[in-house]
Amino acid sequence: MELFTDVVFLSRLQFALCVAFHFLFVPMSIGLGLILAVSETRYYKTRDPKDAAAAHFWTKIFTVTFAVGVATGITMEFSFGTNWANYSRFVGDIFGAPLAAEALLAFFLESCFLGVLLFGRKKVSKKFYLVSAWLVWIGSCLSALWILIANSWMQTPAGYEIAADGSKAIITNFWEAAFNPSTAARYFHTVDSLLIFGAFVAMAIGAYHLLKKRNAEFGRKTLHIGAVVAVITLILMIPAAHQQAVVVAENQPTKFASMEGQWESGPAPLSLFGWVDEETKTTTSIELPLAGATSWLASGSFDTVYPGLNDFEKDMLPPINITFQAYHIMVALFGCMVLWVIFAWISLRKNKEPKKGLLRLLCFGPLLPLIAIQSGWIVTEVGRQPWIVWGELLTEDGISLAVSSTDLLLTIAVFILFYLFILIAYLRITLRFVKAGPEEEKFEEEARLAKAEEE
């Protein structure tokens, strides 16, 4: 019951709930933004009304996702000034630029050209309309870049100095702060994971329509696009994950040791699964027989020595077992996704009409990358503790002093109820679009009218 009076814990819980909910929609917008752009490109080449209907179908789903994503993102920014005022004062000079750039450049680009997609099909040239689709996706990726620049600075701060009174960080070099040691690796890793999610959603929707034997051509094309994107992005995840491991090993040794539950210094092992007992300082796990496998992944050598958890003060360690479990869930799900796509690809190649069992399986595919993404963020944020800005500001020192546990419990309850309402509404609208499929008749009629006008 002490946790319900712990302001630090409740503040972190509230923010975690907001971020986790918001990040249900970020993968959908960035991941499906690519599927949307690819679909518009197909229509631009074929001028087939069925491809136009498919592209419009993705535009509707993207628009709903974009709207909810923006609304849930605003809540997080408000909480910086309410629950995390001390943190905001400390990082304000650093965070002002990337957050302003995200709003003025990325969000402006994305929203403006989304307006073109929604209202400009008959008002702009075909080429401009196609470019608009790609700019919407690029805008969403730029938005992720600026947000990850801010978050990466918290992980590996650079290009700053601390004010003489120690009250805040002052930016001294914008480019060093923006492209700090973890920005590039974390951006590549994060965006690729979002594209994997989008690919699995496309495969699921295609499988659904094949299973229901409605819009069969749309289902086959969508399933094929999703499978191709999934193969490419899963392959790209291997170097992305490797580089991310290198950055963590070099800059956040306590997080790196917690990911494998390594207590003593030495070459880092690679566990398949296990359990960390923080009281007895022991890790029970099934490891790969190759000693130092994680050292090899991070450095290219099985003999590279990394510090163990016993080398650090207890107060400077994160929640170790949570970090360990989240990391291994993420890795295990990546392996499942690879096997999933291989099995699906082989089955699709062998059978002109995929079996119902496979199609039902593919319908649940998006759960794999979604859980993996959330697990990855748990590793990132929980593994950074007790620091909110690595090496500079403790999480407990970033809390607003005026916030009470009663305030936090009340707002957590309100957020849960309100977000549940939003989620139900979003699912009802989106699933209705998915069940209906593309409006092929509408675009076939438009094509006939356009052809008649030309004649």
Side-chain angles (χ1 to χ4, degrees), residues 137-150:
W137 178 63
I138 291 171
S140 66
C141 292
L142 283 175
S143 181
L145 173 62
W146 291 111
I147 296 301
L148 284 170
I149 281 175

Side-chain angles (χ1 to χ4, degrees), residues 42-264:
R42 178 190 285 272
Y43 171 59
Y44 179 80
K45 292 180 178 180
T46 66
R47 311 314 300 171
D48 186 338
K50 293 183 179 180
D51 289 334
H56 184 66
F57 168 82
W58 292 115
T59 300
K60 291 191 295 183
I61 293 181
F62 180 91
T63 302
V64 176
T65 305
F66 174 78
V68 178
V70 170
T72 55
I74 292 173
T75 306
M76 294 190 301
E77 296 196 9
F78 281 155
S79 68
F80 289 148
T82 54
N83 295 26
W84 299 92
N86 290 338
Y87 161 78
S88 298
R89 294 187 188 96
F90 186 83
V91 301
D93 192 63
I94 307 291
F95 272 30
L99 292 182
E102 191 268 339
L104 296 175
L105 302 178
F107 178 73
F108 185 77
L109 176 70
E110 186 178 8
S111 56
C112 283
F113 285 99
L114 179 59
V116 174
L117 293 186
L118 291 173
F119 307 111
R121 184 178 289 274
K122 298 179 182 180
K123 297 179 175 63
V124 300
S125 68
K126 296 178 177 63
K127 184 174 291 187
F128 185 79
Y129 194 84
L130 172 63
V131 171
S132 297
W134 282 100
L135 287 175
V136 167
W137 178 63
I138 291 171
S140 66
C141 292
L142 283 175
S143 181
L145 173 62
W146 291 111
I147 296 301
L148 284 170
I149 281 175
N151 187 270
S152 295
W153 187 88
M154 294 162 61
Q155 305 282 340
T156 53
Y160 73 102
E161 62 181 19
I162 301 299
D165 60 359
S167 62
K168 62 180 180 178
I170 302 172
I171 192 168
T172 57
N173 188 311
F174 172 79
W175 296 110
E176 286 184 8
F179 297 99
N180 57 75
S182 65
T183 297
R186 298 182 72 244
Y187 181 72
F188 186 21
H189 181 87
T190 301
V191 171
D192 191 60
S193 69
L194 308 185
L195 297 181
I196 291 172
F197 177 76
F200 272 70
V201 170
M203 291 169 63
I205 291 176
Y208 172 80
H209 283 276
L210 288 175
L211 187 63
K212 296 299 181 180
K213 296 183 179 180
R214 295 199 304 260
N215 305 305
E217 185 177 350
F218 166 75
R220 281 191 294 271
K221 288 180 179 179
T222 301
L223 188 54
H224 178 74
I225 291 173
V228 171
V229 174
V231 169
I232 295 172
T233 50
L234 284 170
I235 291 173
L236 291 175
M237 180 54 69
I238 297 173
H242 163 69
Q243 190 57 40
Q244 179 74 343
V246 171
V247 170
V248 173
E250 292 178 351
N251 297 279
Q252 295 178 304
T254 54
K255 180 191 292 187
F256 189 73
S258 297
M259 286 161 59
E260 287 296 344
Q262 180 186 1
W263 293 96
E264 301 296 336

